[in-house]
Amino acid sequence: MNTHTAAPRPRGRVAVIGGGVIGISWAGLFLAHGLDVVVSDPRPEAPEQVLAGLGEIAPALAELGLPTERLTDRLRFEPDLAAAVAEADVVQENGPERLDVKREIWRTVEEAAPAHALLATSTSGIPATAIATAMRQPERLVVGHPFNPPHLVPLVEIVPGERTSAETLLRARDFYASLGKKPQILRKEVPGFVANRLQAALFRECVHLVAEGVVTEAELDDIVTDSIGLRWAVAGPFRTFHLGGGPGGLPHFLGHLGRAMEASWPGLGEPSFDEPTVALLTAQAQEAFGREPVGELAARRDRAQIALMRALAEPAHAQPVQAQPAQH
């Protein structure tokens, strides 16, 4: 079953800047949708790494209902950045998460890419406004931030800079939607965007609870996947608490439990990644996950993620159950 939503099939040429984990994932998704892809990475070993990475993610692409035979026929490599983007319709940059590097990349891209090209950066936290100071036309640049891995997880956060044009935002939204993604245009810039901020906030408390000896890493993972992980996958935090308010919805929930929740906020942990904490987390990770290769764990995760996406995409096939209000 194809978990991707129906949308006009994308056409054209995409330049993927950076052949790391995110770049490989984007390249695989673009190729599976029939786009011509050029990967630009100055490292001599980049082509070999990209090809190996595409081989690893091909099964997940196939599970999504995308064609993977002869996946690399439309792929080429060009280490020279200006040459790589010279004929691109879309540029998806995944370079190092350093402002000076990104500014230099985009200065070159703007000079070399066609005037019609959609220009997007996969930065996980640097505002487009800061990057675009190197550009003569900052209205062309937009953040297209995926949630890792881009070929699998639907979300793409589209984040405008102060001078990003409305046309650029809409073009980015339509492009990612044509790939089966679920783009969200953020209403304003904020460091770290939304998904990573939420992830960081929850992970901070996870680290605190493990460091304080309340639970182990493995136990905490089970708690999350057996409770809020399941619930938020189908409802999200606000809808969950709206349902938790019963017939009165979110207003009733906030009136009944909001103050108690607020009172707990000052008591949340403020851990740091000091040497003892890092040593503890490393030891527990080795104990909990170290017996299996990361690749096997990732493949199992991807299969489960696809199964969940498939279930969410076909609610009509689910057996009806009597819904119960969620109190917490």
Side-chain angles (χ1 to χ4, degrees):
M1 171 260 169
N2 191 336
T3 62
H4 285 253
T5 57
R9 187 172 178 83
R11 297 180 181 179
R13 295 159 292 193
V14 183
V16 174
I17 302 173
V21 173
I22 302 299
I24 292 170
S25 185
W26 272 131
L29 182 68
F30 298 150
L31 289 165
H33 278 275
L35 294 164
D36 295 320
V37 175
V38 53
V39 174
S40 183
D41 191 311
R43 298 173 301 143
E45 67 274 15
E48 181 180 356
Q49 292 181 352
V50 170
L51 291 172
L54 290 174
E56 292 174 0
I57 69 173
L61 292 170
E63 280 293 315
L64 291 172
L66 295 170
T68 56
E69 290 185 11
R70 305 180 66 176
L71 185 65
T72 59
D73 280 6
R74 294 176 176 267
L75 173 66
R76 66 184 181 90
F77 298 94
E78 175 52 71
D80 182 83
L81 179 57
V85 304
E87 298 181 352
D89 299 304
V90 177
V91 179
Q92 186 79 48
E93 177 263 321
N94 320 276
E97 196 71 358
R98 289 173 43 194
L99 180 56
D100 59 332
V101 175
K102 290 193 181 294
R103 282 175 171 165
E104 186 59 35
I105 287 173
W106 283 107
R107 187 179 291 112
T108 300
V109 170
E110 184 182 34
E111 290 292 331
H116 73 273
L118 175 65
L119 308 181
T121 172
S122 293
T123 175
S124 60
I126 301 175
T129 297
I131 299 172
T133 57
M135 301 174 64
R136 291 179 291 102
Q137 295 178 297
E139 65 273 13
R140 296 183 64 191
L141 183 67
V142 67
V143 169
H145 173 240
F147 211 64
N148 192 29
H151 69 276
L152 183 57
V153 181
L155 176 69
V156 181
E157 292 175 301
I158 299 173
V159 192
E162 291 178 357
R163 297 178 62 182
T164 303
S165 71
E167 178 188 4
T168 297
L169 287 177
L170 296 179
R171 286 186 63 202
R173 181 198 64 187
D174 292 346
F175 172 67
Y176 293 121
S178 75
L179 300 167
K181 311 305 286 181
K182 294 187 177 179
Q184 288 284 349
I185 297 177
L186 304 194
R187 298 172 183 267
K188 61 186 297 186
E189 278 185 317
V190 60
F193 316 131
V194 174
N196 275 348
R197 289 175 70 97
L198 295 174
Q199 183 171 243
L202 183 60
F203 192 59
R204 181 174 75 170
E205 187 63 15
C206 293
V207 171
H208 170 71
L209 292 170
V210 171
E212 290 296 308
V214 178
V215 287
T216 66
E217 290 179 13
E219 291 165 349
L220 187 139
D221 279 356
D222 286 344
I223 288 170
V224 170
T225 56
D226 290 338
S227 61
I228 56 176
L230 286 173
R231 183 153 283 165
W232 288 3
V234 299
F238 283 105
R239 187 184 296 264
T240 290
F241 287 134
H242 177 69
L243 297 174
L250 185 64
H252 178 76
F253 176 87
L254 294 177
H256 183 55
L257 294 173
R259 288 297 184 183
M261 179 180 289
E262 182 183 3
S264 73
W265 290 349
L268 296 177
E270 296 183 3
S272 64
F273 288 120
D274 53 24
E275 289 188 14
T277 301
V278 170
L280 174 66
L281 298 178
T282 300
Q284 288 201 14
Q286 181 62 31
E287 174 66 23
F289 322 121
R291 295 182 179 86
E292 296 181 79
V294 171
E296 292 183 12
L297 292 172
R300 188 184 309 160
R301 174 207 61 193
D302 289 353
R303 289 193 296 270
Q305 188 73 66
I306 291 169
L308 175 60
M309 291 165 59
R310 181 177 289 120
L312 293 174
E314 297 185 340
H317 293 274
Q319 292 295 321
V321 297
Q322 183 65 42
Q324 297 295 327
Q327 296 301 318
H328 296 285

